Amino acid sequence: MSTVPHILVDKLSCPLVDTASPFDPYSVRQDFPVLQQFVRGRPLIYLDNAATTQKPRAVIGAIEAYYTSENANIHRGVHYLSQVATDSYEGARGKIRQFLNASLDQEIVFTRGTTESVNLVAQSYGRKHVGEGDEIIITEMEHHSNIVPWQILCEDKDAKLRYIPINDRGELLIEEFEGLITARTRLVSLVHISNALGSVNPVKEIVKIAHDHGVPVLVDGAQAVPHMKVDVQALGCDFYAFSGHKMFGPTGIGVLYGKSQLLEAMPPYEGGGSMIRTVSLDRSTYADTPTKFEAGTPNIAGGIGLGVAIDYLNRIGLDSAAEYEAELMDYASEALDKVPGLRLVGSAENRVSVLSFVMEAAHPHDIGTILDQEGIAVRAGHHCAQPVMQHFNIPATTRAATAFYNTREEIDALARALHKVNKVFS
């Protein structure tokens, strides 16, 4: 086993916070190099966290340490570097299992991100279990990555896609959900937290209703894992997907959790190296789960970096960070309510991180441009959630999405900049 790389990563994983004290965003901010810079002559205020989060030094250092001291292909290598890299990569799988409270490491499949995880389930589980006339249920608030794969599958299988509607607060109409389930329903797939509205869906309740009808459930957790502890056994879901880059880890790495009995019965998603047991000119046999779903050389550095991102979240205390974020969300909502002509889109009772809004004075893209001149990074557009925009009869919103490293002073600066938008277009 290597000593230097692991010692280096462990030191880099230690944030500058005392988890016994109240959560301190100002101290945590020192762990994120990108937040120390100026944009257009002003301190960067990063409020685009629903698109991707920034990376702490621990994660950056872990990736550097891998390429500096451990770089080798994993699995089956008998030489020293391959064994060290394999241990680091598979160690990350174990961290993810613990983070999600899954039962087995084998229930954790590495993917490129949430999008590939959903496509894996659609193309493997879906193609095996969905036939002509069958139905899949999703919601009206889904990200495109949890709509398009099911549309492709339904078109190919001549199946039907049905939708749980939302109300004007951006909440699912749960009372209508059970009425959508029929004897032909083969799967329910829904988002845990909406990327466009911030609405937190009652996943546990939906899973129970679906399971009472013998229907499995996939949960898109891309927006949930950065903001709350997720326990897949407590939720009861059959599949759970998320992306590393949305939870302070690297891009190009993600996870599909699946119950072992389901994964074992599913055919491979892609063919190639690594995922096989034997290959002859006549036929191939496949490796056990999760290897049979991980064809080719994986994103080794990304997997290791994701494991260190989980270490980081555990050490700063995700529960205390979530409490701080809830307070910051309330503060931000009040601040934006005072901006004339601004209307928040989505007002779910249970809402996290996301503040989407429109203004009478300006188009979201113009708002985003003016905010950028103030050094404030937000997102403007439909946020890959066009059905949500259609529900609210708007083309786009401006979206400010917070993380635990944002501060009240940054929210005040956002509010001042929005008042400036009104002045510019008055």
Side-chain angles (χ1 to χ4, degrees):
M1 287 293 296
S2 169
T3 55
V4 175
H6 294 289
I7 292 172
L8 177 61
V9 169
D10 186 62
K11 287 182 179 179
L12 288 165
S13 299
C14 297
L16 306 174
V17 286
D18 177 5
T19 55
S21 303
F23 188 82
D24 181 2
Y26 303 98
S27 180
V28 167
R29 287 176 64 84
Q30 303 307 309
D31 295 328
F32 292 82
V34 73
L35 300 181
Q36 313 309 314
Q37 67 180 298
F38 283 70
V39 172
R40 307 192 189 283
R42 300 175 183 272
L44 170 65
I45 297 176
Y46 187 79
L47 295 171
D48 195 20
N49 294 287
T52 196
T53 53
Q54 298 301 335
K55 320 308 173 194
R57 285 189 176 87
V59 170
I60 298 167
I63 295 170
E64 180 183 11
Y66 165 74
Y67 283 119
T68 301
S69 306
E70 298 183 4
N71 182 44
N73 213 328
I74 58 172
H75 301 143
R76 300 179 309 283
V78 297
H79 64 82
Y80 171 80
L81 287 182
S82 179
Q83 293 176 30
V84 169
T86 298
D87 288 345
S88 297
Y89 186 76
E90 291 302 329
R93 195 189 305 271
K95 294 175 185 178
I96 295 163
R97 175 192 60 78
Q98 294 176 341
F99 184 73
L100 295 177
N101 192 33
S103 298
L104 303 166
D105 285 4
Q106 290 75 17
E107 294 179 321
I108 305 301
V109 179
F110 281 114
T111 66
R112 294 193 305 272
T114 306
T115 298
E116 186 182 21
S117 295
V118 175
N119 276 276
L120 192 163
V121 177
Q123 295 301 313
S124 179
Y125 182 89
R127 287 192 177 277
K128 182 175 181 179
H129 293 279
V130 177
E132 182 179 352
D134 287 340
E135 299 173 347
I136 296 168
I137 297 174
I138 62 175
T139 83
E140 287 186 348
M141 68 170 67
E142 298 306 315
H143 188 281
H144 296 167
S145 62
N146 200 31
I147 299 176
V148 179
W150 307 115
Q151 289 177 334
I152 292 172
L153 178 65
C154 286
E155 182 177 357
D156 182 64
K157 294 289 188 176
D158 198 19
K160 184 177 181 181
L161 194 56
R162 309 188 75 185
Y163 298 86
I164 307 172
I166 62 175
N167 61 24
D168 289 339
R169 290 173 57 87
E171 299 167 325
L172 290 180
L173 297 177
I174 301 299
E175 62 274 14
E176 297 193 22
F177 167 51
E178 193 161 6
L180 292 173
I181 302 178
T182 72
R184 304 305 300 268
T185 304
R186 295 294 176 259
L187 184 79
V188 173
S189 187
L190 79 155
V191 68
H192 199 159
I193 297 177
S194 166
N195 76 303
L197 304 169
S199 308
V200 182
N201 287 322
V203 169
K204 190 172 183 178
E205 179 183 354
I206 290 171
V207 169
K208 183 181 185 307
I209 293 171
H211 283 183
D212 286 345
H213 291 80
V215 178
V217 179
L218 181 152
V219 180
D220 169 359
Q223 299 294 333
V225 288
H227 301 292
M228 63 174 64
K229 283 189 176 178
V230 172
D231 184 331
V232 292
Q233 293 192 72
L235 292 175
C237 59
D238 302 277
F239 302 100
Y240 198 95
F242 69 90
S243 300
H245 75 96
K246 302 257 175 117
M247 57 174 296
F248 317 98
T251 58
I253 191 72
V255 168
L256 173 67
Y257 156 81
K259 289 182 177 177
S260 59
Q261 63 270 29
L262 293 177
L263 292 177
E264 289 167 5
M266 289 163 54
Y269 167 55
E270 296 178 313
S274 299
M275 49 75 67
I276 53 83
R277 187 184 303 278
T278 63
V279 175
S280 71
L281 296 180
D282 298 321
R283 66 186 298 268
S284 299
T285 60
Y286 307 122
D288 294 332
T289 303
T291 307
K292 70 177 177 179
F293 297 114
E294 297 178 353
T297 298
N299 184 354
I300 302 168
I304 294 170
L306 177 55
V308 173
I310 287 173
D311 290 339
Y312 183 86
L313 290 174
N314 288 336
R315 290 181 179 181
I316 68 169
L318 196 52
D319 285 339
S320 59
E323 291 177 8
Y324 168 74
E325 282 192 64
E327 295 172 1
L328 187 65
M329 183 73 167
D330 290 341
Y331 185 83
S333 297
E334 292 178 7
L336 267 60
D337 278 341
K338 296 175 182 177
V339 177
L342 184 149
R343 175 171 64 88
L344 290 172
V345 178
S347 56
E349 183 176 351
N350 193 0
R351 189 161 51 109
V352 171
S353 175
V354 171
L355 290 163
S356 285
F357 58 89
V358 293
M359 296 181 70
E360 295 174 3
H363 187 278
H365 290 121
D366 294 325
I367 298 168
T369 300
I370 293 175
L371 294 183
D372 179 61
Q373 296 300 314
E374 302 294 316
I376 302 172
V378 296
R379 180 103 358 195
H382 54 63
H383 316 300
C384 292
Q386 287 179 287
V388 172
M389 303 299 124
Q390 292 161 8
H391 175 89
F392 289 98
N393 196 29
I394 52 177
T397 68
T398 305
R399 183 184 69 189
T402 61
F404 53 66
Y405 44 56
N406 292 120
T407 66
R408 289 192 173 200
E409 289 81 2
E410 291 182 318
I411 298 303
D412 293 339
L414 171 65
R416 288 194 300 270
L418 292 172
H419 282 287
K420 185 173 181 178
V421 170
N422 278 327
K423 291 180 181 179
V424 169
F425 287 95
S426 62

